[in-house]
């Protein structure tokens, strides 16, 4: 975990007094993504799984559809003040015949919750851009299995245990089997890393799988799930209004507030077998 965790001094204050001690902190560093040598985007991320992050980012932004459309990925010669490679610049070469990204593609390719939303135009852009719509996916999951997945994800957050400062995303089967978990200071980066893993392992479109995230669900995270063909997205916290709208229009089952055996279903609840469970359902048609 050398580049994942840093040590910094902290003054711990309690009713019993204060004392100085070192603390474990989640590392945050910039990653510049280039395509065929041309700068494309800069994202602040936790180092590690950068190739997965790059593949997932390009896929969820509609630049590539499969791993074969990337010819190679290599770190550029980026040096710090002491002459060491920072591994903070990653260049991806597109395979012959793959169109270059359009001018201006960046982290907020469609929109993010931090830069404002475009409304209906954004929904239309995602729906027409995705190659793997989840709408026809007939996967189902038992309510009692779905309710346990955030805890299963939390149990695998090794860096969070040390720092308390990372988001996580994980892909599960309907039986509750965890396929992959990734952590990052950015929730969108954690999802991109998971999608990149799926892309590199031949699991895109991610039919029949469930994506669980550790925080809230923004429009951007719902967008990424739709772009990857993931039929069910669940979170321990709340979704945004536009995330719900996108999920409802795109055929994505969106679950939120999955805590203590309870959950809310905001769109396409038919994929969750509630049996005799008393589940509060909010559904937008």
């Amino acid at each position: 975990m050398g580049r994942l965790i840093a040590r910094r001094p902290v003054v711990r204050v309690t009713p019993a007094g204060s004392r100085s001690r070192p603390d474990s902190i989640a590392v945050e560093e910039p990653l510049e993504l280039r395509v065929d040598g041309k700068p494309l985007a800069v994202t602040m991320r936790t180092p590690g799984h950068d190739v997965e992050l790059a593949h997932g980012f390009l896929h969820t932004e509609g630049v590539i559809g499969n791993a074969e459309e990337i010819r190679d990925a290599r770190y550029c010669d980026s040096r710090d003040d002491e002459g060491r490679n920072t591994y903070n610049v990653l260049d991806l070469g597109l395979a012959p015949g793959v169109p270059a990204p359009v001018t201006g593609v960046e982290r907020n390719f469609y929109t993010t919750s931090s830069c404002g939303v475009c409304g209906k135009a954004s929904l239309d852009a995602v729906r027409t851009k995705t190659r793997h719509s989840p709408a026809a996916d007939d996967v189902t999951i038992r309510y009692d299995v779905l309710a346990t997945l955030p805890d299963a994800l939390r149990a695998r957050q090794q860096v969070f245990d040390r720092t308390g400062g990372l988001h996580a995303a994980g892909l599960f089967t309907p039986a509750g089997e965890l396929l992959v978990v990734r952590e990052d200071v950015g929730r969108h980066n954690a999802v991109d890393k998971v999608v990149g893993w799926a892309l590199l392992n031949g699991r895109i479109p991610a039919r029949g799988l469930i994506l669980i995230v550790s925080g809230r669900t923004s429009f951007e995270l719902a967008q990424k799930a739709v772009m990857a063909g993931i039929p069910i997205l669940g979170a321990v916290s709340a979704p945004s209004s536009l995330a719900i709208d996108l999920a409802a229009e795109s055929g994505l089952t969106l679950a939120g507030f999955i805590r203590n055996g309870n959950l809310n279903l905001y769109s396409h609840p038919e994929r969750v077998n509630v049996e005799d469970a008393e589940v509060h359902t909010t559904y937008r048609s």
Side-chain angles (χ1 to χ4, degrees):
M1 294 187 181
R3 293 191 69 208
L4 304 181
I5 297 174
R7 301 286 280 177
R8 296 290 188 272
V10 63
V11 177
R12 174 69 171 169
V13 181
T14 70
S18 64
R19 64 186 180 94
S20 298
R21 63 178 177 85
D23 197 16
S24 296
I25 306 296
V27 169
E28 181 179 34
E29 294 182 0
L31 176 66
E32 179 182 331
L33 297 179
R34 298 178 182 176
V35 173
D36 290 329
K38 180 181 179 180
L40 179 70
V42 175
T43 185
M44 302 302 296
R45 98 304 189 192
T46 299
H49 306 291
D50 290 336
V51 174
E52 291 178 353
L53 169 59
H55 278 72
F57 173 73
L58 292 181
H59 176 76
T60 59
E61 302 295 359
V63 177
I64 63 172
N66 55 64
E68 289 69 32
E69 294 183 3
I70 297 294
R71 183 185 68 252
D72 55 36
R74 60 183 180 85
Y75 287 102
C76 297
D77 190 16
S78 174
R79 302 285 173 175
D80 63 15
D81 294 339
E82 298 180 7
R84 296 171 299 189
N85 195 326
T86 64
Y87 297 98
N88 284 339
V89 180
L90 185 64
D91 190 13
L92 295 101
L94 296 178
V98 178
V102 296
T103 302
V105 171
E106 51 190 11
R107 164 57 65 188
N108 58 346
F109 183 76
Y110 294 116
T111 184
T112 68
S113 58
S114 61
C115 71
V117 293
C118 305
K120 186 65 176 179
S122 298
L123 302 182
D124 290 341
V126 176
R127 187 171 57 248
T128 58
K129 191 72 175 179
T130 182
R131 308 183 192 186
H132 312 297
S133 171
D137 197 317
D138 60 0
V139 66
T140 61
I141 185 172
R142 288 172 53 94
Y143 147 76
D144 56 348
V145 174
L146 180 58
T148 67
L149 298 189
D151 288 339
L153 178 66
R154 174 66 184 84
R156 293 286 298 276
Q157 289 184 248
Q158 297 180 2
V159 182
F160 182 89
D161 287 339
R162 295 276 303 278
T163 68
L166 290 182
H167 296 284
L171 270 183
F172 292 82
T173 70
E177 176 190 2
L178 178 59
L179 300 178
V180 62
V181 59
R182 293 290 183 259
E183 294 180 280
D184 201 280
V185 289
R187 57 173 57 88
H188 44 68
N189 290 334
V191 172
D192 278 341
K193 288 178 179 180
V194 165
V195 173
W197 174 90
L199 194 71
L200 291 167
N201 285 275
R203 303 298 294 261
I204 296 293
R207 295 190 178 96
L209 299 181
I210 298 92
L211 175 64
I212 299 294
V213 296
S214 60
R216 62 182 176 84
T217 305
S218 63
F219 171 85
E220 187 178 24
L221 298 195
Q223 164 205 314
K224 292 180 182 299
V226 171
M227 293 293 288
I230 297 169
I232 302 174
L233 170 59
V236 298
S237 192
S240 70
S241 60
L242 201 62
I244 297 172
D245 293 343
L246 174 60
E249 294 196 22
S250 302
L252 172 69
T253 296
L254 181 58
F257 291 107
I258 310 178
R259 305 172 184 172
N260 304 316
N262 302 311
L263 57 87
N264 291 351
L265 296 172
Y266 294 91
S267 62
H268 300 281
E270 65 275 5
R271 291 195 179 102
V272 181
N273 182 1
V274 300
E275 298 182 327
D276 296 326
E278 291 294 331
V279 180
H280 173 219
T281 302
T282 303
Y283 177 54
R284 297 170 61 93
S285 60

